Amino acid sequence: MSRMVNLLVLPHPQQRLPVLASLYPCRLPTIHTRSANSVSESQRKWNIGFKAPRRLVLGLGASFWSQFMSMAGRARSKHLIALAKQEVVIEEVLKNVDWPQQFPFKEEDFQRFDESPDSLFYDAPRFVTHIDDPAIAALTKYYSKVFPPSNTPGVCILDMCSSWVSHFPKGYKQYSIVGLGMNEEELKRNPVLTEYAVQDLNLNPKLPFEDNSFDVITNAVSVDYLAKPIDVFKEMCRVLKPGGLAIMSFSNRCFWTKAISIWTSTGDADHVMIVGSYFHYSGGFEPPQAVDISPNPGRSDPMYVVYSRKASTA
């Protein structure tokens, strides 16, 4: 296809591989509320609750939240202090955000415990799933609600950070479903893909596709590995068609040595704000929104979605 570079057409395998449990789970803490006397001022403002300790070897700068709140308006601060008295509602996290003028993260926030080449880490295929079955079912159900109907003429979808399974609805087909991932053997086994490309986005965030190529971009449980997220999100905006939908889904599980430090040192609501900031600061997207699609809160893996559409004037 003329709009794509170095893409391979896949034969569809006869059978799916069995779903296995993740070999390297990293469960980050879920959101809990505390009394006003047991948390810091920044925690009261953001209702962060318990947080995993920062990895000292990475030398993280000041907390994003304290930076953010120092730059946000008093009205927003009072609103979030009020929210601290109740459970965080994920859908509310990205509503009416007073974003700082400048991207509030520092370079060290995107360092990883393991900074060896990602190509080495992903060299061997891992035919595993990284969220449990209820979370997978919840994501598939969400996709079924927001995707264009199967076999819609001309629809093209990009599954970023793809692997052997994309969690799309059973039997879902489109003119083009392209997988972009790190391991060719995994991509070859993905039955939903019509094409694939192997690329390390942390080494080269430039997407190998023409402008305005895709109607939908998905990224399932992998946004936490992006070390150059603003560059990647700018590229996402470039290759999306005007009005195209970008869906970032994530849980609290990861290969923690490869996840960025700002992710492994924060909690679920923080992650929603972090991903929302990528959409905001990359430009060209409508205000991002968040959805909690967790199927069994407290009993199975949580599941969250932050999504946005490319602005029609971008």
Side-chain angles (χ1 to χ4, degrees), residues 180 199-208 228 231-232 235:
L180 184 71
Q199 182 171 321
D200 182 352
L201 292 175
N202 288 338
L203 186 64
N204 175 22
K206 177 75 172 180
L207 297 178
K228 301 177 181 178
D231 293 337
V232 172
E235 280 292 288

Side-chain angles (χ1 to χ4, degrees), residues 130-169:
H130 306 287
I131 46 178
D132 61 21
D133 288 345
I136 290 173
L139 180 58
T140 300
K141 182 179 180 180
Y142 179 80
Y143 282 157
S144 69
K145 292 179 178 180
V146 300
F147 276 6
S150 190
N151 291 309
T152 301
V155 165
C156 299
I157 296 178
L158 172 62
D159 186 31
M160 287 177 49
C161 304
S162 188
S163 64
W164 70 285
V165 61
S166 295
H167 308 313
F168 286 11

Side-chain angles (χ1 to χ4, degrees), residues 14-27:
Q14 296 299 314
Q15 296 181 338
R16 288 180 179 266
L17 293 175
V19 176
L20 303 175
S22 172
L23 294 178
Y24 302 96
C26 172
R27 294 183 179 274

Side-chain angles (χ1 to χ4, degrees), residues 8 25 99 105 113 156 161 193 223 232 272 275 295 314:
L8 303 179
W99 296 104
F105 296 111
F113 186 85
C156 299
C161 304
L193 303 181
V223 68
V232 172
V272 169
V275 177

Side-chain angles (χ1 to χ4, degrees), residues 126-290:
R126 292 183 177 91
F127 296 109
V128 299
T129 55
H130 306 287
I131 46 178
D132 61 21
D133 288 345
I136 290 173
L139 180 58
T140 300
K141 182 179 180 180
Y142 179 80
Y143 282 157
S144 69
K145 292 179 178 180
V146 300
F147 276 6
S150 190
N151 291 309
T152 301
V155 165
C156 299
I157 296 178
L158 172 62
D159 186 31
M160 287 177 49
C161 304
S162 188
S163 64
W164 70 285
V165 61
S166 295
H167 308 313
F168 286 11
K170 184 177 180 179
Y172 188 80
K173 296 180 180 180
Q174 289 298 357
Y175 169 72
S176 176
I177 300 178
V178 182
L180 184 71
M182 288 288 293
N183 186 279
E184 186 169 5
E185 290 303 311
E186 292 183 19
L187 294 168
K188 285 180 179 179
R189 299 287 190 94
N190 191 327
V192 76
L193 303 181
T194 60
E195 303 153 90
Y196 71 81
V198 178
Q199 182 171 321
D200 182 352
L201 292 175
N202 288 338
L203 186 64
N204 175 22
K206 177 75 172 180
L207 297 178
F209 313 109
E210 294 182 1
D211 297 355
N212 306 317
S213 295
F214 296 100
D215 300 272
V216 178
I217 294 177
T218 58
N219 182 323
V221 294
S222 294
V223 68
D224 46 319
Y225 303 121
L226 296 178
K228 301 177 181 178
I230 296 300
D231 293 337
V232 172
F233 274 61
K234 286 181 178 179
E235 280 292 288
M236 286 165 46
C237 186
R238 179 183 66 80
V239 303
L240 273 174
K241 299 175 183 178
L245 177 64
I247 304 169
M248 305 291 109
S249 60
F250 49 91
S251 184
N252 62 357
R253 305 188 68 172
C254 64
F255 294 112
W256 73 269
T257 61
K258 281 297 183 181
I260 58 172
S261 60
I262 193 65
W263 193 275
T264 59
S265 61
T266 53
D268 295 344
D270 308 323
H271 299 160
V272 169
M273 185 65 76
I274 289 167
V275 177
S277 77
Y278 296 165
F279 279 115
H280 176 80
Y281 290 102
S282 61
F285 286 101
E286 296 178 356
Q289 299 183 56

